[in-house]
Amino acid sequence: MVRIAVFGGTGLVGSQVCKLLVACGCSTVSITRSGDNTLGPWSLGGAAKPLLAQFEGEAWVSQVEWIKADAAVDGEALAALQDGVDGVVSCIGSGDMLKATADGWYGRNVWSDFSKEQYAANYEPNANVITAAKAAGAQRFVYVGASSDAEQGFGGPLPGLYSGKRAAYLAGRDAFGDQFTMIAPHLVVGSKDDPRVKFAQSGVAAGLRSVNDFFGEIRNFGEDFTTKTRLAQPVLATDVATAIVASVIGKVAVDESVRFAGPTTPSGGLEQDRGKGVDAEVRDLMRHVDGTDAIVALAKRAQEAGVGL
């Protein structure tokens, strides 16, 4: 039986990944700092509850091995994978990817303490997971990152967050080669009834997107990615999970392509970018599924291949 470990398996995306892995017949391990309790609240018309409470009574929950471990602590990720795995999924991430903040950076070459903390929170635990996954014999690794549009729109005020995510996916790519895939949404929601979904589908949002596209064509600096990302359609957690599971069990293949993340300034600070100049473009060759449309398309391919609920 294929054994898959999910770091962050009690979160919005991770819980759906675990549920689908069980449905696909995989031996499934969830690894979080809280074990079988969520790191954050979940609510639906009432008081906040543990996220897994929404699955109360569903058989798959008892079929997952729930492990408590903190990937940010040296050795804990490796200990959690001591029985070996065939594939690993990392849903580890910290921070609001669409929050513009003046605290993010002080200038082109100086980061605030906030940015340094964001970098560490997004890179260091993932680096530990990648090292542990290799040691545990994992053949495939899937990482939940951030869309290119989101990084171009918010990488300036949030350089630590996006640089941390970029450092993580580059480490994963270098460790696993063509068996590494990044699934890159900008905003994940749990339901089609989420007001953010309804707004993105509204005539108002469509009109604002047209205005933004028009000004993007006439401005010398091009599109406003901050506005574009805020107006973009969110992706459902179930679609993200379907794309992840199909990738980590090898049911679908993702072609290698270039990911563009803007100039080095927003994502600066990485060793591989030094000496390129502050306006050099960040382009990474890798296997990635970028943005809502691409994720939904991959999820459909996955369903056609028999992955889905």
Side-chain angles (χ1 to χ4, degrees):
M1 182 182 292
V2 175
R3 182 175 170 86
I4 306 294
V6 183
F7 283 81
T10 58
L12 178 62
V13 172
S15 58
Q16 294 289 347
V17 171
C18 289
K19 181 178 182 177
L20 187 51
L21 284 169
V22 170
C24 289
C26 297
S27 172
T28 306
V29 182
S30 166
I31 304 164
T32 64
R33 290 178 294 180
S34 57
D36 62 352
N37 294 313
T38 183
L39 301 179
W42 173 83
S43 64
L44 185 60
K49 302 177 181 179
L51 183 63
L52 290 177
Q54 67 176 306
F55 303 112
E56 185 176 358
E58 296 187 17
W60 71 269
V61 176
S62 64
Q63 297 177 53
V64 174
E65 181 182 355
W66 305 96
I67 295 178
K68 183 177 181 179
D70 187 346
V73 177
D74 287 345
E76 290 204 11
L78 184 59
L81 299 180
Q82 62 183 342
D83 293 332
V85 287
D86 298 291
V88 171
V89 175
S90 177
C91 301
I92 297 174
S94 177
D96 184 345
M97 294 193 299
L98 305 185
K99 179 182 178 181
T101 169
D103 293 333
W105 58 346
Y106 293 163
R108 285 181 178 267
N109 300 308
V110 180
W111 281 9
S112 67
D113 289 341
F114 170 79
S115 291
K116 294 174 183 177
E117 291 169 0
Q118 291 262 287
Y119 179 90
N122 284 279
Y123 170 64
E124 292 177 2
N126 279 299
N128 289 340
V129 169
I130 291 162
T131 299
K134 288 294 289 186
Q139 298 301 305
R140 296 188 179 92
F141 194 102
V142 178
Y143 171 65
V144 181
S147 73
S148 173
D149 283 354
E151 182 164 352
Q152 292 180 73
F154 294 88
L158 291 171
L161 187 156
Y162 283 97
S163 287
K165 288 185 176 295
R166 181 171 174 238
Y169 74 64
L170 290 177
R173 180 201 65 180
D174 292 346
F176 285 90
D178 62 6
Q179 298 304 309
F180 172 84
T181 304
M182 179 170 73
I183 308 297
H186 77 285
L187 177 63
V188 183
V189 297
S191 167
K192 293 179 180 178
D193 294 327
D194 190 291
R196 292 167 293 187
V197 174
K198 293 182 177 181
F199 173 72
Q201 294 174 341
S202 69
V204 173
L208 292 173
R209 284 193 291 268
S210 295
V211 171
N212 191 51
D213 290 344
F214 170 75
F215 281 106
E217 291 177 358
I218 64 175
R219 288 183 299 217
N220 60 1
F221 55 85
E223 292 182 274
D224 179 347
F225 284 97
T226 302
T227 300
K228 179 181 179 181
T229 304
R230 287 197 183 279
L231 294 173
Q233 179 72 42
V235 63
L236 295 178
T238 49
D239 284 333
V240 178
T242 303
I244 289 170
V245 170
S247 297
V248 78
I249 66 176
K251 282 289 187 178
V252 296
V254 175
D255 293 334
E256 192 174 57
S257 60
V258 174
R259 181 181 186 274
F260 176 60
T264 57
T265 300
S267 290
L270 301 188
E271 182 68 33
Q272 55 266 40
D273 294 333
R274 292 177 186 169
K276 293 183 179 179
V278 295
D279 295 321
E281 293 181 343
V282 174
R283 294 180 180 273
D284 299 312
L285 183 64
M286 59 187 299
R287 298 181 189 277
H288 64 112
V289 186
D290 200 289
T292 297
D293 290 345
I295 293 171
V296 170
L298 182 60
K300 289 180 178 177
R301 285 174 52 203
Q303 290 169 348
E304 292 169 356
V307 177
L309 296 173

